[in-house]
Amino acid sequence: MKFSILGAGSWGTAFAQLLVENGHEVLIWARRGELADQINKYHANDDYLPNVRLPETLIASSDISSAVHFSDNLVIAVPTKYVDETMAKIERKPAVIVNLSKGIDEKLRTISSIVKSRWRDADYLVLSGPCHAVEVAKRLPTSVVIAGPNSITEAFQQAFSNDYFRVYVNDDVLGVEICGAVKNVIAIAAGILDGLGQWHNAKAALITRGLQEIARFGLSLGARSPLTFMGLAGMGDLIVTCTSPYSRNRYVGEMIGKGMALKDILSQMKMVAEGVYTVGPLLRMADSLHIDMPICRQVYDVLFRKKDPYQAISELMNRPLKMEIDLTQIGPESGL
């Protein structure tokens, strides 16, 4: 198969390497010409994936038109806030779109909503789960999930899988997307705890309650199954993003917990911490649907209203006592 990948960040590059090693033809689009030249001439991407030798057959281009015309299979690997403007540059409708990005944009849209607003009849797949780019590039065992139309999902499952990258199939596109977006916000909260100290009990509770918060939000929006949130896109990705040293969102939270200002943290980062840009739109969506998301709200207040993290934790701990799982908040039909 042939693939055009939009975005030469760490995950887009690691995924391109994976596809080439699986025998596919790949062209990766880099926004900057010097990065495309580096990939073509030196088979490296030192900005985003240092110390990794890329396949010599991997082609890069800074011309988005050339990239899109290379293949009918388009892979989105740009930060969520740039997806809409990137799609606007594409004149040729892809046959299949595979999304790797995780987030909700300022217009309160998932990536599938952005794509479908331009190409309603294009086949859309989302690949998500615990898949840090560095470990995939090092060929360390990784398992993910791909969600989309049953008619084509299994073909892409086969195309992406190998002996270190295992792909499962799911038909809950919205549920998988919501998991990928909201877990980044919860990971910022986990990082704040890491910055404050070794709060193991609190972090375990945060991850568990964070998962319930993600599920409540996703099911209220129309996700197909509560089991999606217990799988690789939900529990799996949440665990790794809240605990891994590779997690950009956890890192932002850790630096906040150590007293660093958000603007200073972001100015030092080459890559995007999606949770920072997702939390505002996420809460606006939650408020419009009357969905309670206390952890995400405290993350927003700490990031953008300069709330003291200890005060945020105190407010969470002193909320009215309740049942652990309240079916009246998410509807008995959800099964959660």
Side-chain angles (χ1 to χ4, degrees):
M1 298 174 73
K2 297 177 70 173
F3 293 92
S4 301
I5 298 181
L6 300 185
S10 59
W11 185 210
T13 304
F15 195 68
Q17 173 185 278
L18 168 78
L19 292 180
V20 172
E21 291 183 348
N22 282 7
H24 306 298
E25 297 180 57
V26 180
L27 188 151
I28 187 167
W29 172 74
R31 182 175 53 85
R32 294 181 289 114
E34 59 269 27
L35 180 54
D37 290 342
Q38 183 184 130
I39 294 172
N40 287 328
K41 294 178 181 179
Y42 304 106
H43 315 298
N45 184 343
D46 293 333
D47 286 351
Y48 298 106
L49 209 59
N51 304 315
V52 173
R53 173 78 177 182
L54 299 175
E56 294 186 6
T57 54
L58 172 61
I59 306 168
S61 175
S62 58
D63 179 3
I64 196 167
S65 179
S66 297
V68 172
H69 280 82
F70 179 80
S71 171
D72 288 331
N73 300 317
L74 188 67
V75 179
I76 300 174
V78 298
T80 299
K81 64 179 182 176
Y82 300 126
V83 169
D84 195 23
E85 67 178 68
T86 303
M87 295 294 100
K89 298 175 182 177
I90 300 172
E91 298 178 356
R92 177 175 180 263
K93 187 189 78 172
V96 179
I97 297 168
V98 181
N99 174 45
L100 307 183
S101 301
K102 302 173 181 179
I104 296 170
D105 78 352
E106 283 294 329
K107 295 181 180 179
L108 313 188
R109 298 177 297 178
T110 62
I111 308 297
S112 61
S113 296
I114 297 172
V115 170
K116 292 296 183 180
S117 70
R118 295 191 178 276
W119 304 298
R120 183 160 299 279
D121 57 344
D123 284 323
Y124 176 87
L125 305 171
V126 55
L127 185 139
S128 194
C131 50
H132 282 308
V134 172
E135 294 199 356
V136 174
K138 291 180 178 178
R139 303 172 185 83
L140 297 178
T142 300
S143 293
V144 298
V145 61
I146 189 167
N150 291 332
S151 58
I152 63 168
T153 306
E154 290 187 6
F156 285 83
Q157 176 190 36
Q158 294 292 331
F160 297 161
S161 296
N162 60 29
D163 60 0
Y164 66 86
F165 196 79
R166 182 174 175 84
V167 183
Y168 290 85
V169 166
N170 192 320
D171 62 358
D172 187 2
V173 171
L174 179 60
V176 169
E177 284 193 302
I178 293 301
C179 288
V182 186
K183 60 91 184 181
N184 286 326
V185 179
I186 304 300
I188 294 174
I192 291 172
L193 293 180
D194 289 341
L196 297 177
Q198 299 297 312
W199 294 27
H200 300 300
N201 289 352
K203 192 169 182 179
L206 174 78
I207 292 172
T208 306
R209 293 305 299 173
L211 182 62
Q212 203 268 355
E213 203 159 299
I214 295 169
R216 183 166 62 242
F217 180 75
L219 291 167
S220 296
L221 254 65
R224 292 172 64 96
S225 172
L227 295 180
T228 298
F229 304 94
M230 308 305 152
L232 288 164
M235 182 186 296
D237 208 2
L238 181 64
I239 290 171
V240 78
T241 313
C242 287
T243 61
S244 171
Y246 299 127
S247 169
R248 299 188 292 271
N249 294 282
R250 192 207 63 80
Y251 171 79
V252 168
E254 182 180 6
M255 295 300 103
I256 291 287
K258 291 180 176 179
M260 197 170 176
L262 178 62
K263 62 180 179 62
D264 295 330
I265 301 168
L266 299 181
S267 69
Q268 296 177 4
M269 298 178 67
K270 289 183 179 179
M271 293 179 278
V272 174
E274 292 275 24
V276 174
Y277 305 98
T278 292
V279 63
L282 168 66
L283 289 175
R284 285 156 53 199
M285 292 178 71
D287 288 344
S288 69
L289 295 168
H290 307 290
I291 304 169
D292 189 27
M293 303 196 74
I295 297 172
C296 293
R297 191 166 302 281
Q298 293 294 347
V299 169
Y300 181 88
D301 287 349
V302 170
L303 290 180
F304 298 107
R305 295 178 176 168
K306 298 183 179 180
K307 178 181 281 189
D308 182 271
Y310 288 102
Q311 181 185 349
I313 293 167
S314 177
E315 290 179 10
L316 286 171
M317 293 299 292
N318 285 285
R319 296 174 70 238
L321 300 177
K322 57 188 290 187
M323 293 285 292
E324 182 180 19
I325 299 175
D326 185 355
L327 294 179
T328 64
Q329 292 187 16
I330 54 179
E333 72 280 356
S334 70
L336 186 68

